[in-house]
């Protein structure tokens, strides 16, 4: 094994994927990169393992790959769905331009690539329940357009150049380490902070909006297991459907209420994010991932909620500096 480069490392996924990669392969084998400078107190970036990389600049990627003898790139740098809808030109440049530059660097330097696609790669004409691995993909958001096109580009590089590229269609990710930013599924993280602080959350999606979700420890394990799977077993090089739970805001609120009695949720629907959510699947069929490389999530709604509240409860406090009383 040589070394791993992670792009967009200070985002929601990178903040948990990097420690998992460092633990598995050794900290000296994981190079952390982001367009932002490393925070002074960073848990994961040091002077030796950090590279400032703007993925829209192809030479910066190639230089980092050569300097650190990289053989695997986890390409996480991207704008999420809601912010991509506000800034579609920037989203195309970062999400598509960045992916193209990473695939080109990988082709030239013979690296393997991990690409995070999303439930956003589907659209309103896709079957919304038990969404098949191979089905109609006509997304109506810029984020979705970049994810569906990104999947095709990954397929192309695999078929045309024999590049070892692998991907996941990730659902909404729930984590206690770093907040997401600008996503449609962000409510499923925000709700925990607000429940602990104020016993109240105002949700920007309607109560019955059902979407796939996954707890971050399952998501980081899925990425690592996919990259470690035998290449010959992988039928799909664009991205595999993965999921752990299909839930709505009212389901999550009811589960949180089991731990924080009196927790109240109300709704102030944001039409932009609601229309994005309404164009996405309600539940994915993940049988191809289970069959081809044996993935199975470990956290369901109940175990994820209990773990999130326990972890966040150590640091997040109520208005008087203590956890909101039960
Ligand atoms: C978003 O909401 O944009 C992301 C996603 C589902 O891809 N979390």
């Amino acid at each position: 094994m040589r070394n791993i480069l992670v792009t967009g490392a200070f985002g929601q996924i990178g903040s948990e994927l990097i420690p998992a990669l460092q633990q598995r392969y050794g900290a000296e084998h994981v190079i952390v990169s982001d367009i932002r400078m490393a925070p002074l107190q960073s848990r994961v970036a040091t002077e030796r393992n950090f590279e400032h990389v703007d993925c829209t600049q192809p030479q910066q990627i190639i230089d980092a790959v050569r300097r650190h003898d990289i053989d695997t790139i986890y390409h996480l740098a991207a704008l999420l769905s809601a912010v991509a809808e506000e800034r579609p030109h920037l989203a195309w440049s970062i999400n598509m331009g960045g992916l193209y530059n990473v695939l080109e660097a990988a082709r030239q330097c013979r690296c393997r690539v991990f690409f995070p696609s999303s439930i956003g790669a589907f659209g309103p004409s896709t079957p919304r329940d038990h969404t098949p691995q191979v089905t109609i993909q006509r997304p109506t958001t810029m984020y979705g357009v970049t994810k569906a096109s990104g999947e095709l580009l990954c397929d192309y590089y695999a078929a045309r150049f024999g590049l070892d590229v692998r991907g996941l269609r990730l659902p909404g990710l729930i984590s206690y380490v770093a907040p997401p930013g600008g996503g449609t599924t962000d409510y499923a993280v925000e709700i925990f902070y607000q429940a602990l602080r104020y016993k109240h959350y105002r949700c920007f999606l309607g109560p019955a909006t059902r979407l796939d979700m996954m707890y971050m420890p399952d998501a980081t394990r899925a990425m690592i297991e996919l990259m470690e799977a035998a290449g010959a077993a992988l039928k799909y090089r664009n991205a595999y459907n993965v999921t752990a739970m299909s839930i709505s805001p009212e389901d999550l609120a009811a589960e949180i209420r089991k731990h924080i009695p009196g927790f109240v949720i109300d709704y102030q629907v944001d039409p932009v994010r609601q229309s994005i959510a309404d164009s996405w699947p309600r539940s994915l069929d993940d049988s191809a991932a289970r069959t081809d490389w044996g993935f199975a999530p470990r956290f369901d709604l109940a175990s994820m909620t209990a773990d999130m509240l326990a972890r966040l409860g150590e640091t997040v406090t109520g208005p008087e500096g203590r956890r909101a009383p039960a």
Side-chain angles (χ1 to χ4, degrees), residues 71-75 99 102-103 106-107 111-115 154 163-167 227:
D71 71 348
T72 303
I73 305 174
Y74 283 79
H75 175 48
L99 176 63
V102 164
L103 290 170
R107 181 184 70 79
C111 298
R112 299 162 354 111
V113 175
F114 171 78
F115 164 65
C154 290
L163 197 74
D164 187 352
V165 52
R166 306 171 182 206
M227 292 307 280

Side-chain angles (χ1 to χ4, degrees), residues 80-81 118-119 143 170-173 183-185 280:
L80 293 184
S81 54
S118 161
I119 52 174
Y143 179 70
L170 292 168
L173 297 179
T184 302
T185 56
W280 288 355

Side-chain angles (χ1 to χ4, degrees), residues 187-196 199-201 249-265 301-302 304-306 308-309 323:
Y187 89 83
V189 179
E190 290 172 7
I191 192 172
F192 285 97
Y193 286 85
Q194 300 301 314
L196 286 166
K199 296 176 80 170
H200 171 246
Y201 178 59
E250 63 191 358
D251 295 337
L252 185 49
E255 196 59 39
I256 290 173
R257 212 169 285 122
K258 291 180 188 164
H259 301 262
I260 305 180
F263 168 62
V264 174
I265 186 167
L301 175 60
M304 176 277 294
T305 303
M308 273 294 279
L309 289 172
R323 186 169 166 171

Side-chain angles (χ1 to χ4, degrees), residues 55-133:
C55 290
T56 64
Q57 303 301 316
Q59 198 56 45
Q60 291 186 13
I61 305 168
I62 292 178
D63 288 346
V65 166
R66 294 208 170 119
R67 200 160 27 243
H68 295 280
D69 192 24
I70 300 296
D71 71 348
T72 303
I73 305 174
Y74 283 79
H75 175 48
L76 307 181
L79 295 192
L80 293 184
S81 54
V83 77
E85 232 19 56
E86 270 167 31
R87 308 184 70 183
H89 301 103
L90 186 67
W92 179 264
S93 157
I94 294 177
N95 292 14
M96 277 315 289
L99 176 63
Y100 175 76
N101 293 337
V102 164
L103 290 170
E104 260 307 293
R107 181 184 70 79
Q108 289 172 35
C109 305
R110 306 309 307 161
C111 298
R112 299 162 354 111
V113 175
F114 171 78
F115 164 65
S117 186
S118 161
I119 52 174
F122 298 114
S125 50
T126 303
R128 291 194 71 199
D129 296 302
H130 216 56
T131 304
Q133 171 67 34

